[in-house]
Amino acid sequence: MGIIRFSDDEVFSTDSSEYDILINAALKIKDVSGAIVEIGTRRGGSAKMIIDALYQNNDCNRSMFCIDPYGNIDYEYTNKAAVAHNLNVKLTDNVEEMISTDITSKVKLGYDNTVRNRIVPSLYYYAFQKGIDFQFFFLEDTEFFKRYTDGVPVYNNVKSLVNDYSLVFFDGPHTNNHIKNEIDFFEPRMNKGSIMVFDDIWMYDHDMIENDYLFTNGFKTVARGNIKASYVKESWDSYRSYCHNYF
C-alpha cells in the first residue's frame, strides 16, 4: 500500500484574507529566539504559509507548534460573528445585543476528525520536507496552557524545554475573554522583537484588546487591516524584567 498524498487544494486551503500580514510577520522574526505557535489550524493553509516564509528566510532551525482540538466540538462565537456568518444560533431580537462582541453563542463549524486526519499528516510531511521541527497538539488553547506552563519538551539530541515564543498567530476562538487569556499566557514568554498576529479582529472588541493588553505591555502596531493585525514587542514588561534581573 502506497503513502496517501493529498493535493494542496484538499488540505491547505484558507477561509480569510490579508495573509500578507502573517507572512511578513514570519519573515521579521529571523533573529528572534523562540518557537512559533498557531492557535486554530483547521485546513492548514496559514500554517503552510508560515512554513514557506521560514524556508524562504532560511529560518528553519526552530520549533513550530500548532494547537487545534478538531472533533467538531462546540466553538464560541460572538453574536456579531454569528450574525455575519448566518449561523443557526438562537439570538436575541435586541439589535444591540445581536451585534454584540461581548455576548457569545456556541456553534459547530464542521472541523471534525476526518478533517484532522487529512490535514495533520500533510502538515507534518510538509514541515519535514522544509526542515522544520513541527509538533501538533490536539488541545484547546486552555488545555495547552495548563499542561505546558513550564514549557514544551523538545528532544533533539538533548532534552530542552521551549518556553519562549517568537511568533504567535491567534486564530482560535475569537472572543474577548479567549483573546485576553491567550495574551496573558504568551506575553510574558515573548522576547523583544517577538510578534503577535490576530485574525478576524472584527469579530470581537479588538480596539479594547489593543489598548488595554498590547500597548500597555510594550507592543507596537506593525500592520492593521480589516481582518488581521500584527504587533511587535518593543520592551519587556516589569514582571519579565524582574525575573530576568533576579532569578
Side-chain angles (χ1 to χ4, degrees), residues 116 162 239:
R116 177 199 68 191
V162 175
Y239 172 77

Side-chain angles (χ1 to χ4, degrees), residues 36-222:
I36 293 169
V37 171
E38 178 184 61
I39 301 177
T41 299
R42 298 189 179 181
R43 295 194 178 276
S46 53
K48 178 181 180 292
M49 291 178 191
I50 295 172
I51 293 170
D52 286 340
L54 295 177
Y55 184 76
Q56 172 190 333
N57 215 24
N58 194 25
D59 187 23
C60 299
N61 189 28
R62 63 168 81 236
S63 295
M64 178 173 172
F65 308 144
C66 288
I67 305 167
D68 197 318
Y70 291 100
N72 200 27
I73 63 174
D74 287 340
Y75 185 87
E76 196 169 3
Y77 250 45
T78 62
N79 278 8
K80 182 178 181 180
V83 170
H85 286 94
N86 296 315
L87 296 175
N88 185 25
V89 296
K90 184 178 181 179
L91 297 173
T92 175
D93 292 329
N94 183 294
V95 175
E96 289 186 1
E97 291 183 0
M98 188 175 294
I99 60 173
S100 172
T101 58
D102 293 313
I103 303 172
T104 62
S105 303
K106 292 186 181 299
V107 301
K108 290 186 182 295
L109 299 178
Y111 293 99
D112 58 20
N113 292 336
T114 300
V115 176
R116 177 199 68 191
N117 294 341
R118 284 177 173 262
I119 302 306
V120 178
S122 300
L123 274 176
Y124 266 103
Y125 183 73
Y126 193 78
F128 166 74
Q129 288 181 309
K130 302 296 185 180
I132 306 291
D133 177 38
F134 181 83
Q135 294 190 51
F136 207 106
F137 298 87
F138 300 111
L139 299 169
E140 297 171 80
D141 54 357
T142 52
E143 293 174 327
F144 180 88
F145 302 157
K146 291 176 184 177
R147 287 161 174 78
Y148 298 104
T149 185
D150 62 340
V152 177
V154 173
Y155 303 90
N156 186 8
N157 293 318
V158 297
K159 175 184 176 180
S160 61
L161 281 176
V162 175
N163 203 23
D164 59 337
Y165 301 92
S166 57
L167 173 64
V168 181
F169 181 36
F170 300 93
D171 194 17
H174 302 296
T175 69
N176 295 334
N177 286 335
H178 275 283
I179 296 295
K180 290 176 191 176
N181 291 337
E182 290 170 352
I183 292 174
D184 284 344
F185 180 84
F186 286 108
E187 183 277 322
R189 296 169 170 82
M190 300 183 80
N191 298 313
K192 183 176 180 180
S194 298
I195 299 179
M196 291 184 175
V197 181
F198 298 84
D199 203 359
D200 296 317
I201 60 176
W202 61 272
M203 288 189 183
Y204 58 94
D205 190 354
H206 189 74
D207 288 338
M208 178 273 293
I209 294 294
E210 189 178 68
N211 291 315
D212 294 352
Y213 289 86
L214 296 173
F215 295 158
T216 57
N217 281 309
F219 283 85
K220 179 182 177 181
T221 305
V222 177

Side-chain angles (χ1 to χ4, degrees), residues 14-25:
T14 59
D15 61 358
S16 187
S17 60
E18 298 180 354
Y19 285 101
D20 58 300
I21 292 177
L22 175 63
I23 293 169
N24 289 336

